[in-house]
Amino acid sequence: SASAVMRIAPPSQSEGATFRPLFRRFAAAFLIASAAITFLSMWARVRPRKYEIGVLRFLGASKILVIAIVSTEAAVVSFGGALLAVVISHSALTGLNSLTAASPTYFIGFKSCLVTCSTIVGAAMSGSTIPCAVSVQRDVLTMLESDR
């Protein structure tokens, strides 16, 4: 009979739209995890550099200059990584849209890219600045003697 036959209809736009909040929540959780990992990796990268910080201080660099050098390095590295991630994401999404002929097409907005980059750069800078600021407060000779 005709009523026993099931038809599989393509999902309507309203059904596809129900997945968007789920994707946004997943993206937010992924961004928070990425920021935490970036913070911890920058912290771990700066902490053992007490000797280099001590050398800079011994050569006459002020505390603020040393912190600025470390923070600038963290900002450049993390901004480059975040920019690369955005480019790869856009490329992958463009490829998926063309392969699946998604209707409506999915996109990543400028605001999302800006939030992602600023979150990662902020996490990297704070992850590098905190241990550097603690190390700068120590005595120069103690820093030069430690961990070498």
Side-chain angles (χ1 to χ4, degrees):
S1 77
S3 62
V5 177
M6 262 176 89
R7 292 187 183 185
I8 300 175
S12 66
Q13 287 185 2
S14 63
E15 290 174 4
T18 60
F19 287 112
R20 288 186 192 256
L22 178 67
F23 291 142
R24 286 193 178 123
R25 287 187 187 120
F26 177 73
F30 189 73
L31 180 62
I32 291 169
S34 297
I37 290 169
T38 303
F39 177 86
L40 292 173
S41 66
M42 292 307 283
W43 183 294
R45 187 173 173 210
V46 172
R47 262 192 97 210
R49 295 175 63 188
K50 293 175 189 165
Y51 183 80
E52 289 90 352
I53 293 170
V55 169
L56 286 172
R57 292 283 292 131
F58 183 75
L59 293 174
S62 68
K63 294 175 183 179
I64 292 178
L65 179 63
V66 173
I67 293 171
I69 290 170
V70 172
S71 295
T72 302
E73 177 188 356
V76 168
V77 168
S78 62
F79 183 73
L83 197 61
L84 183 65
V86 167
V87 167
I88 290 171
S89 298
H90 271 284
S91 300
L93 197 55
T94 301
L96 286 174
N97 279 333
S98 65
L99 286 175
T100 61
S103 178
T105 58
Y106 292 100
F107 66 94
I108 301 172
F110 177 74
K111 181 180 173 184
S112 299
C113 295
L114 189 62
V115 167
T116 301
C117 288
S118 61
T119 302
I120 297 301
V121 170
M125 287 182 67
S126 57
S128 64
T129 302
I130 294 170
C132 181
V134 169
S135 294
V136 164
Q137 299 300 324
R138 296 177 64 198
D139 182 44
V140 174
L141 293 176
T142 307
M143 283 190 287
L144 291 175
E145 290 173 353
S146 67
D147 299 331
R148 194 65 172 138

